Amino acid sequence: MALLQLSNEYKDPHNYPKGVAYMDGQYLDMSKAKLSILDYGFLHSDATYDVVHVWQGAFFRLDLYLERFFSGLEKIHMTMPYSKEEVAEILHNCVALSGHKNAYVEMICTRGNSPDFSRDPRDSINRFMAFAVPFGSVANQDQMKNGLHAIISSIVRIPPNSVDSKVKNYHWLDLVTGLYDAYEKGGETAILLDSEGNIAEGPGFNVFCVKGKIITTPEKGVLPGITRRTVFDLCDELHISCCATEVTPTDLRNADEVFITSTAGGIMPITKIDHNVIGSGTTGPIFQLLKSAYWEKHKNSDWCLPIHYPPAKI
Ligand code: PLP
């Protein structure tokens, strides 16, 4: 048995994606960004976060993500010493220092901890951190082309009157259990229901149903996704009817098209649900139209904020 002694320096046996993090006033290599195991963000999932992406060197709709993050902070009684503008600058610097042109950029505020491990959340000092790593997607290249196979899971999404779904949170055990449920049933991803048996959302995405000329998406018990909001905005511009309402599993199974939306991947097709093909079984025309319009907007300076990268070292 190894000699029982305290280590002077922690040696991390794990590997991490390349990137840059911000913690406690310092920009760090991703491998150095560590959080105390006493932080209630970790112990109680007592945290809120947000994720914005950078595409071809520019943030996409950053103002909307900041607005959602700050509104979540207020709802769960967290404060931090940074304004929206200062958070925007920190996120910018993480990306610029990482050098990533396509990035997944996360901002987090945890409840933090208190020196005497108080159980009263008001005694904790809230903690802000952020990081930029390479862009990732819910759907891989093949799924993006041919569509994902989703399973409507028997796991119920945490109801919004327990945990407010408008506050982006790490209460993911229902979503992760749903994923395992889907894998066991031969699917690639999961769609969870709300407590009334209607469609809610999936692990990191909102769900859309296309029938005839009308697009619907669940209204209640879901994160108001920024990509979901972008679909509403694009539909307005394209004069397509799109509304948030009740969506049932039967609506989804009988849809012409189904697609999902996330900052991690944009607009992504679902072509099979519970082993049955949706519509023609291939990606549909509405999905194609919206997906093109979505990526086209990434070239529009009104929707994008460029990153100023430091000059490359010679
Ligand atoms: N729903 C949940 C539970 C999520 O975690 C996410 C994103 O991570 C979404 C929906 C999609 O939101 P957005 O389009 O803002 O990425």
Side-chain angles (χ1 to χ4, degrees):
M1 200 176 140
L3 192 67
L4 183 65
Q5 61 179 25
L6 279 175
S7 299
N8 288 328
E9 204 186 325
Y10 171 64
K11 291 192 190 70
D12 188 343
H14 306 283
N15 289 318
Y16 301 93
K18 288 214 174 312
V20 168
Y22 176 87
M23 285 183 90
D24 303 322
Q26 302 155 73
Y27 292 97
L28 303 162
D29 185 87
M30 208 59 223
S31 62
K32 301 270 183 322
K34 301 281 155 62
L35 184 67
S36 165
I37 56 171
L38 292 178
D39 192 305
Y40 285 115
F42 170 67
L43 291 177
H44 291 175
S45 295
D46 190 350
T48 186
Y49 76 110
D50 222 298
V51 177
V52 57
H53 67 283
V54 164
W55 194 251
Q56 294 181 349
F59 281 115
F60 187 65
R61 311 200 86 178
L62 177 62
D63 48 339
L64 297 182
Y65 290 94
L66 288 170
E67 203 175 293
R68 184 172 67 180
F69 180 59
F70 274 78
S71 129
L73 289 173
E74 200 178 319
K75 287 197 176 105
I76 59 171
H77 310 279
M78 282 186 186
T79 52
M80 42 174 228
Y82 304 109
S83 65
K84 271 187 202 155
E85 292 68 30
E86 286 166 328
V87 170
E89 191 181 333
I90 291 169
L91 299 179
H92 171 277
N93 293 346
C94 287
V95 181
L97 289 168
S98 77
H100 295 318
K101 298 293 184 291
N102 298 328
Y104 176 104
V105 187
E106 184 152 341
M107 60 201 103
I108 306 161
C109 190
T110 66
R111 187 68 59 195
N113 64 285
S114 64
D116 58 1
F117 204 36
S118 161
R119 313 285 291 185
D120 184 337
R122 294 169 299 185
D123 294 335
S124 288
I125 311 290
N126 302 159
R127 191 163 189 185
F128 174 77
M129 56 211 105
F131 64 83
V133 291
F135 183 79
S137 172
V138 170
N140 63 32
Q141 267 183 358
D142 177 61
Q143 293 165 337
M144 205 63 213
K145 189 161 160 254
N146 299 311
L148 287 124
H149 176 192
I151 299 290
I152 299 182
S153 176
S154 48
I155 307 292
V156 173
R157 183 76 176 115
I158 296 175
N161 49 3
S162 296
V163 174
D164 186 349
S165 57
K166 292 194 174 72
V167 181
K168 197 166 158 75
N169 64 70
Y170 291 132
H171 292 271
W172 266 60
L173 271 185
D174 53 350
L175 298 168
V176 172
T177 312
L179 270 178
Y180 276 100
D181 186 32
Y183 299 151
E184 267 165 33
K185 291 175 177 156
E188 295 169 306
T189 193
I191 294 175
L192 272 65
L193 302 177
D194 65 18
S195 36
E196 280 151 31
N198 295 312
I199 298 296
E201 59 190 343
F205 57 79
N206 292 112
V207 180
F208 286 78
C209 172
V210 183
K211 189 71 184 171
K213 290 190 162 47
I214 297 172
I215 306 180
T216 52
T217 189
E219 182 185 15
K220 291 183 289 186
V222 298
L223 178 77
I226 303 301
T227 324
R228 174 182 182 264
R229 154 82 189 267
T230 300
V231 166
F232 289 139
D233 293 341
L234 294 173
C235 284
D236 267 358
E237 282 186 16
L238 294 164
H239 306 293
I240 299 171
S241 164
C242 182
C243 67
T245 181
E246 220 172 71
V247 178
T248 66
T250 308
D251 292 336
L252 223 52
R253 290 192 180 103
N254 295 333
D256 298 331
E257 295 179 41
V258 174
F259 61 85
I260 58 175
T261 60
S262 174
T263 300
I267 305 176
M268 298 163 279
I270 299 278
T271 47
K272 224 189 237 185
I273 294 182
D274 297 339
H275 296 273
N276 297 310
V277 292
I278 299 300
S280 64
T282 56
T283 61
I286 297 281
F287 160 76
Q288 296 288 358
L289 180 68
L290 289 171
K291 185 187 135 200
S292 304
Y294 175 78
W295 289 106
E296 199 51 41
K297 283 289 184 196
H298 287 68
K299 298 177 194 153
N300 182 328
S301 59
D302 290 346
W303 293 45
C304 301
L305 187 71
I307 305 289
H308 302 286
Y309 294 91
K313 287 195 191 107
I314 304 165

